[in-house]
Amino acid sequence: MMIKKIACLVFSFAMAITIAKAQQPQAPLLTLKDAVEIALNNNYNIKLSKNNSTISANNVTLGNAGFLPQLNGNFTDNNSQQSTKQTLNTGKFNNINAHNSNNSYGANLNWTIFDGFAMFANYDQLKQLDKLGTLRLQDTIQSTVANVIDTYYSLISQNEQVKALKGAIAISRTQLRIATDKFNVGRASRLEVLNAQVNLNTDTGNLVIQYQQFKTAKIQLNQLLIRDLQTDFSVGDTIVVDDKLALADVINNAQLQNPAILSAQINQRLAEINLKQVRATRYPQVGLTSGYVFTNSKTPAGFTISQNAHGFNYGLTATINIFDGFNQNRREKNAKILIDNAGITAKQTKLNVEAQINNLFVAYLSGLDLVKLEESNVNLNKRNLDITLDKYKLGNITPLEVREAQRNYLDAQSKFFAAQYQSKQAEVMLKQITNSINIQ
């Protein structure tokens, strides 16, 4: 018996501490706009995507596409040690230990002036990859902002749940006080007081669980903002849903701005460029070569002891693929198939995006309808609870009826907050799909 009492005391003490924490002074307010700005400045995914986009932009040069010549400086130095035995026509012998050396240095230029138009295709490919990098950056930014918004409004919804549960605890305390007063004057049994205490403990436990979920969502938002995970803050208390979205407008905007659709279109263009690059090998490859070279050589055992030379050289090279085992035809056929695949993927992506938009729009409209319905239910259940409490004070109804009215009110509040969050979440995702999230 004593152990049970101690356990109850410990449990009550732990809950009291948790509730005290939940009722600490309000932390600094973090607005949604501030949260988005912090994420845009700090988020790792955005930084990585910016770097990758910069790399893609840096690659768009004529030199990288193959338009410009290559100029190289060269230097070579060769040495040898030779022992030479010479027999002269006079019958004499000469033994020569000679150190031979040969070095050259200069500049060589190689310039491909025609490669079957491959360099033009290469340059076009680099520009398309730059567009793809920019598009991926925009997609990363929109995705990050959407995650911040979603988490922020989740916190608002959960915070409202916390407030509702605190209200339920206040009502349970009132019920316990009334039951205790009745018991003291002999109008209620001890069982009624105990039931009221159980209800209060249950509501307190629910608040502890809800507050834990609220703290977890805070950590998640801090993680998105790349800051100390234990940074405390408070959020707003209002979820405003844009109820002006039209399905046709969202679908039309998606065709022009959706990152997945635009990426599929760019990949289709890249597949067409790839065919041009493959076909380029059918044409001759023509290049210019030129250079200016200095050479110095020493051969003590030769007829010429030393020699120095310098001069300009130039030339023209041309090659053409005559036969490569039918590999050229194979590569071109495969390139055409890749174009067909890219077209199929683009159509599939478009269909998938439209299906996603339609599903989200159903959730969006459903959420808007539920918000209106549940808001009305909240008001009705609040009135019912007030009337029930008044009747309970007069002893006209049982504690079970009070608890039922309280549960209905709490359930109505929960559904109202969930409907708000559902419609807002669908709205944000629809705007993310159309690449049109904007925080004023």
Side-chain angles (χ1 to χ4, degrees):
M1 190 69 178
M2 182 62 67
I3 295 176
K4 290 184 178 179
K5 289 183 178 179
I6 294 174
C8 290
L9 288 173
V10 171
F11 178 72
S12 300
F13 182 72
M15 287 194 299
I17 292 177
T18 305
I19 300 305
K21 289 182 178 179
Q23 296 175 342
Q24 284 179 350
Q26 188 80 353
L29 175 65
L30 176 68
T31 65
L32 178 58
K33 184 177 180 180
D34 290 339
V36 169
E37 288 179 353
I38 293 172
L40 291 177
N41 290 327
N42 296 345
N43 187 267
Y44 291 139
N45 289 333
I46 293 178
K47 289 183 177 181
L48 290 172
S49 191
K50 282 182 179 179
N51 289 339
N52 291 333
S53 179
T54 301
I55 290 173
S56 298
N58 291 341
N59 286 337
V60 185
T61 64
L62 294 176
N64 196 23
F67 280 92
L68 303 181
Q70 300 289 321
L71 180 63
N72 299 312
N74 299 306
F75 174 79
T76 60
D77 184 18
N78 297 314
N79 296 273
S80 65
Q81 187 72 36
Q82 294 181 333
S83 296
T84 304
K85 184 178 181 180
Q86 296 178 337
T87 303
L88 304 180
N89 56 10
T90 59
K92 292 183 178 181
F93 298 94
N94 286 334
N95 292 317
I96 303 175
N97 292 319
H99 174 76
N100 302 317
S101 65
N102 187 313
N103 62 69
S104 65
Y105 54 93
N108 294 319
L109 181 142
N110 294 286
W111 190 3
T112 300
I113 58 175
F114 182 74
D115 62 354
F117 307 104
M119 63 183 69
F120 294 95
N122 293 341
Y123 194 61
D124 195 9
Q125 180 188 50
L126 294 172
K127 290 190 289 185
Q128 295 300 319
L129 290 174
D130 181 31
K131 290 181 181 179
L132 192 60
T134 301
L135 188 62
R136 286 172 177 167
L137 172 59
Q138 293 174 352
D139 187 30
T140 301
I141 292 174
Q142 289 284 303
S143 177
T144 302
V145 171
N147 287 336
V148 171
I149 295 174
D150 181 69
T151 306
Y152 189 88
Y153 282 116
S154 175
L155 277 168
I156 291 179
S157 179
Q158 292 188 45
N159 194 38
E160 293 303 308
Q161 294 277 11
V162 169
K163 292 179 182 178
L165 287 169
K166 288 180 180 179
I169 289 175
I171 295 172
S172 294
R173 285 200 182 105
T174 300
Q175 185 181 358
L176 177 59
R177 178 179 53 78
I178 295 172
T180 302
D181 291 342
K182 286 183 178 181
F183 175 75
N184 291 333
V185 297
R187 293 177 55 196
S189 66
R190 184 65 177 173
L191 180 61
E192 187 173 331
V193 176
L194 292 175
N195 285 334
Q197 182 65 59
V198 168
N199 291 339
L200 176 59
N201 290 345
T202 300
D203 292 338
T204 304
N206 291 335
L207 177 58
V208 171
I209 295 173
Q210 181 60 48
Y211 192 70
Q212 178 186 358
Q213 295 175 352
F214 181 66
K215 288 289 291 182
T216 301
K218 272 190 171 183
I219 292 173
Q220 182 181 354
L221 183 57
N222 281 329
Q223 182 182 9
L224 286 171
L225 304 186
I226 315 297
R227 62 182 190 175
D228 187 352
L229 299 181
Q230 296 302 320
T231 301
D232 195 17
F233 60 92
S234 62
V235 295
D237 57 3
T238 306
I239 297 179
V240 179
V241 182
D242 182 1
D243 59 356
K244 305 299 183 183
L245 298 182
L247 179 60
D249 292 339
V250 175
I251 292 177
N252 290 335
N253 290 336
Q255 305 303 319
L256 301 175
Q257 299 176 172
N258 178 259
I261 291 177
L262 296 179
S263 294
Q265 293 172 353
I266 291 176
N267 287 329
Q268 193 172 5
R269 175 59 182 157
L270 287 171
E272 295 169 354
I273 293 172
N274 178 61
L275 177 59
K276 291 182 179 180
Q277 291 171 323
V278 171
R279 283 177 172 169
T281 56
R282 284 190 177 275
Y283 295 89
Q285 308 292 307
V286 181
L288 294 175
T289 62
S290 181
Y292 201 92
V293 180
F294 295 84
T295 60
N296 297 300
S297 62
K298 294 180 180 181
T299 312
F303 292 101
T304 302
I305 295 176
S306 65
Q307 178 176 306
N308 298 321
H310 60 87
F312 178 71
N313 64 76
Y314 55 91
L316 179 69
T317 62
T319 60
I320 188 170
N321 176 19
I322 298 176
F323 180 73
D324 64 351
F326 305 108
N327 283 318
Q328 179 66 32
N329 292 334
R330 174 184 58 79
R331 288 194 295 268
E332 289 185 14
K333 288 179 181 178
N334 289 342
K336 291 176 181 177
I337 293 174
L338 291 176
I339 292 175
D340 187 41
N341 286 347
I344 293 172
T345 301
K347 293 178 182 178
Q348 183 182 36
T349 301
K350 180 180 177 182
L351 180 62
N352 291 343
V353 169
E354 288 186 7
Q356 186 181 10
I357 289 173
N358 279 274
N359 289 332
L360 286 171
F361 208 80
V362 169
Y364 167 72
L365 294 178
S366 173
L368 291 178
D369 291 338
L370 285 173
V371 166
K372 296 176 183 178
L373 176 63
E374 298 304 336
E375 185 176 17
S376 176
N377 281 340
V378 168
N379 294 330
L380 288 174
N381 280 281
K382 180 64 171 66
R383 289 172 58 191
N384 181 57
L385 179 60
D386 291 339
I387 294 172
T388 302
L389 285 172
D390 290 338
K391 288 184 177 182
Y392 179 66
K393 292 177 183 178
L394 299 174
N396 295 333
I397 60 174
T398 65
L400 185 61
E401 291 176 289
V402 176
R403 186 62 176 172
E404 184 65 22
Q406 184 184 16
R407 185 182 295 111
N408 289 339
Y409 177 54
L410 190 61
D411 186 56
Q413 287 180 304
S414 178
K415 289 181 178 178
F416 173 65
F417 302 143
Q420 278 190 319
Y421 179 59
Q422 172 187 322
S423 53
K424 188 63 182 181
Q425 188 178 43
E427 175 210 325
V428 171
M429 293 184 69
L430 286 169
K431 290 182 177 180
Q432 180 187 356
I433 288 175
T434 56
N435 202 30
S436 58
I437 297 178
N438 186 23
I439 303 297
Q440 299 296 337

